[in-house]
Amino acid sequence: MLDDLRWDPDLIRRYDMAGPRYTSYPTAVQLRADIGSFDLLHALRDSRRAMRPLSLYVHVPFCANICYYCACNKVITKDRARAQPYLQRLEQEIQLVACHLDRAQPVEQLHFGGGTPTFLSHVELRALMASLRQHFGLLDDDSGDYGIEIDPREADWSTMGLLRELGFNRISLGVQDLDPTVQRAINRLQSLEQTRTLIEAARTLQFRSVNLDLIYGLPHQTPAGFARTVSEVIALQPERLAVFNYAHLPDRFLPQRRIDSLTLPSPAAKLEMLHGTIEQLTAAGYRYIGMDHFALPDDDLAIAQEDGTLQRNFQGYTTHGHCDLIGLGVSAISQIGDLYCQNTSDLTTYQDTVGNGQLASQRGLICTPDDRLRRAVIQQLICHFALAFEPIETRFAIDFRGYFKDQWPALQALHDDGLIHLDPHGIQVLPAGRLLVRSVCKVFDAYLDYGNLQRFSKVI
């Protein structure tokens, strides 16, 4: 089965190194300042000419409370009025972008992320969705995948009812850990009952899917304590679970400086947490999709992996990788054809730029033929744990072994170590290598600087 895993402590010790998560290839680290709004306009017009379907990502950066572990682009404020100037500029950006597209291009996927999107008032959420519907071809038949990230401390039954009314049919809830000691250490006190209430609301209101996020490696966590959290979460029966490894990088993310590093679990304890979580979720019927993600067998991600259509983009695993991804808001990233383009991450700069009638694009890249080839290879491996050479050779007019002759010794070493099976026809990531698939993908990364990996999290 696709979700078969084998826990091999020796391989994990040897290959659990830092590396990209490959939500894109090339990764966002490669974005450059000489690619910007001019290139974005050309890409938008190409998308319109091709009438490609769309996926919209809207970034809402505000949070009422700071979570010490967080590495997201956010603005911490109790002043709800701060959202209004931002929403005015977001409305302008929507207009600036949409005028280069066609409303007949269907929006198959929509996602609100943050920050905390439900920081916005009901009136503000209504107005934002009305603007999106006015300028983009949002679907009215509930067939799209329209999701939103929710902090259970910032939502209730009425919020859920509003979101369903506005067209959302998927929710993602941050849980992280249910142990009060851990919660106090990360400044996120959140009861199980708060989470359960929203899931019950989602079921009653016929949301299509619920995702829960957990993090292992937080201060004061223990394998036994985290196992209790996982058990409680399984009882809630979310369709999807994301179980992330906490990367403690206080030099890069200032809020993490409030975490006492002496209270963090040891690397061995973290691995024990992950091992136990995999066993618990597998016993409960969840399938390992890859890269921290688990899903029930009848979930769209699991089905897409079974039939070979699963893809990966800046939003993670997706069934809509064929769509052009339009990122709206501060720090948002677009992926349109061969263009990657990111808005400025500075809120003031974003608001000033858009307020002057200009797109807030700050950096980007245009994929080369080599980028497209390596992207296809990495996507196959990270989504399906397998790569057949012949389709790649036909699609890109190459001889695989000849093109990747410099990588062949590294692939042979992975084969000899039991992470992959390598033969003249392709690569199969073996059960012992699936948790370490990022290490396999790294072999094909032409940009990776092995002497400067500290900006990335570890593979596990």
Side-chain angles (χ1 to χ4, degrees):
M1 292 176 64
L2 281 172
D3 55 330
D4 281 348
L5 293 173
R6 184 165 68 83
W7 186 270
D8 189 314
D10 180 58
L11 286 180
I12 289 170
R13 277 192 296 272
R14 292 166 57 196
Y15 283 95
D16 184 20
M17 304 296 178
R21 298 181 60 81
Y22 295 113
T23 49
S24 70
Y25 182 84
T27 66
V29 173
Q30 304 305 322
L31 302 184
R32 309 189 311 268
D34 61 332
I35 303 293
S37 56
F38 181 78
D39 305 280
L40 176 59
L41 291 175
H42 276 281
L44 291 170
R45 291 166 185 165
D46 288 343
S47 179
R48 180 181 63 196
R49 280 193 290 269
M51 290 300 291
R52 290 194 290 266
L54 302 178
S55 172
L56 301 184
Y57 172 76
V58 180
H59 190 74
V60 180
F62 303 102
C63 293
N65 301 286
I66 188 169
C67 300
Y68 297 158
Y69 59 82
C70 185
C72 298
N73 183 281
K74 74 274 184 188
V75 176
I76 308 300
T77 179
K78 299 286 189 183
D79 182 5
R80 304 280 167 164
R82 286 196 64 183
Q84 199 50 235
Y86 178 76
L87 291 172
Q88 291 172 2
R89 298 299 179 249
L90 187 57
E91 159 75 16
Q92 287 181 263
E93 185 188 16
I94 289 169
Q95 295 177 26
L96 286 169
V97 170
C99 71
H100 299 287
L101 296 166
D102 193 316
R103 284 198 77 252
Q105 292 176 257
V107 177
E108 294 185 4
Q109 186 178 38
L110 169 69
H111 188 78
F112 279 26
T116 305
T118 47
F119 178 94
L120 304 180
S121 70
H122 289 198
V123 171
E124 290 167 338
L125 283 167
R126 282 186 188 278
L128 179 53
M129 282 299 291
S131 177
L132 290 170
R133 287 193 179 278
Q134 178 185 350
H135 293 95
F136 293 100
L138 269 64
L139 306 177
D140 294 320
D141 59 1
D142 207 36
S143 63
D145 284 337
Y146 292 179
I148 184 168
E149 297 170 14
I150 297 176
D151 182 341
R153 303 168 300 172
E154 288 276 338
D156 55 19
W157 262 86
S158 65
T159 307
M160 298 296 290
L162 171 72
L163 295 176
R164 194 69 183 95
E165 175 193 333
L166 293 177
F168 291 99
N169 50 33
R170 295 183 182 274
I171 60 169
S172 181
L173 304 177
V175 175
Q176 322 320 343
D177 195 297
L178 292 171
D179 187 309
T181 302
V182 176
Q183 292 181 350
R184 281 191 291 272
I186 60 174
N187 197 42
R188 190 186 175 100
L189 289 170
Q190 176 182 319
S191 70
L192 173 61
E193 191 55 38
Q194 287 174 303
T195 302
R196 181 185 290 117
T197 296
L198 293 191
I199 293 178
E200 289 174 352
R203 305 289 189 222
T204 302
L205 295 166
Q206 297 185 314
F207 279 77
R208 188 181 304 160
S209 172
V210 173
N211 173 82
L212 297 185
D213 288 347
L214 300 177
I215 299 178
Y216 66 97
L218 295 173
H220 299 293
Q221 280 181 331
T222 65
F226 196 64
R228 287 192 293 272
T229 286
V230 174
S231 179
E232 295 277 16
V233 163
I234 288 172
L236 299 174
Q237 295 187 301
E239 282 75 15
R240 299 176 186 175
L241 274 165
V243 187
F244 297 110
N245 168 22
Y246 171 63
H248 190 57
L249 302 169
D251 290 339
R252 289 186 59 199
F253 306 112
L254 296 184
Q256 294 186 359
R257 295 181 182 179
R258 304 192 192 188
I259 292 176
D260 181 357
S261 60
L262 297 178
T263 65
L264 296 173
S266 68
K270 286 180 70 174
L271 287 179
E272 190 177 344
M273 286 181 220
L274 177 61
H275 190 193
T277 298
I278 291 170
E279 290 185 333
Q280 285 178 273
L281 293 178
T282 301
Y286 287 87
R287 292 189 175 183
Y288 178 68
I289 302 298
M291 291 291 299
D292 322 308
H293 284 71
F294 299 81
L296 291 174
D298 58 352
D299 181 81
D300 289 349
L301 291 184
I303 294 170
Q305 192 173 57
E306 288 281 0
D307 64 23
T309 59
L310 184 67
Q311 294 174 284
R312 192 161 169 81
N313 63 15
F314 284 105
Q315 295 188 38
Y317 287 106
T318 179
T319 57
H320 299 279
H322 59 285
C323 296
D324 281 335
L325 171 61
I326 311 294
L328 300 165
V330 63
S331 77
I333 299 179
S334 298
Q335 181 178 342
I336 307 168
D338 287 328
L339 173 76
Y340 300 158
C341 197
Q342 184 174 26
N343 283 347
T344 176
S345 296
D346 181 77
L347 181 63
T348 301
T349 303
Y350 169 82
Q351 294 184 167
D352 289 347
T353 304
V354 177
N356 290 326
Q358 299 176 327
L359 293 170
S361 311
Q362 185 183 50
R363 60 193 192 122
L365 67 83
I366 299 173
C367 292
T368 67
D370 180 70
D371 292 336
R372 291 195 292 271
L373 166 59
R374 292 172 186 268
R375 178 173 65 187
V377 168
I378 288 172
Q379 181 138 131
Q380 277 296 117
L381 291 169
I382 209 163
C383 291
H384 303 289
F385 301 119
L387 175 73
F389 295 156
E390 192 275 331
I392 292 290
E393 291 176 327
T394 300
R395 178 178 169 187
F396 293 96
I398 62 161
D399 169 69
F400 193 94
R401 180 160 185 173
Y403 194 94
F404 291 108
K405 61 181 183 298
D406 291 340
Q407 286 73 42
W408 208 260
L411 293 173
Q412 187 63 54
L414 292 172
H415 172 90
D416 294 342
D417 284 343
L419 274 77
I420 65 172
H421 173 74
L422 177 67
D423 63 34
H425 305 291
I427 297 169
Q428 185 77 34
V429 182
L430 298 174
R434 290 180 180 176
L435 286 171
L436 301 161
V437 68
R438 286 161 69 184
S439 292
V440 181
C441 295
K442 282 162 60 176
V443 171
F444 295 97
D445 189 336
Y447 297 96
L448 200 60
D449 178 2
Y450 284 88
N452 186 31
L453 293 179
Q454 68 269 19
R455 68 179 67 204
F456 302 113
S457 64
K458 282 192 170 185
V459 168
I460 293 181

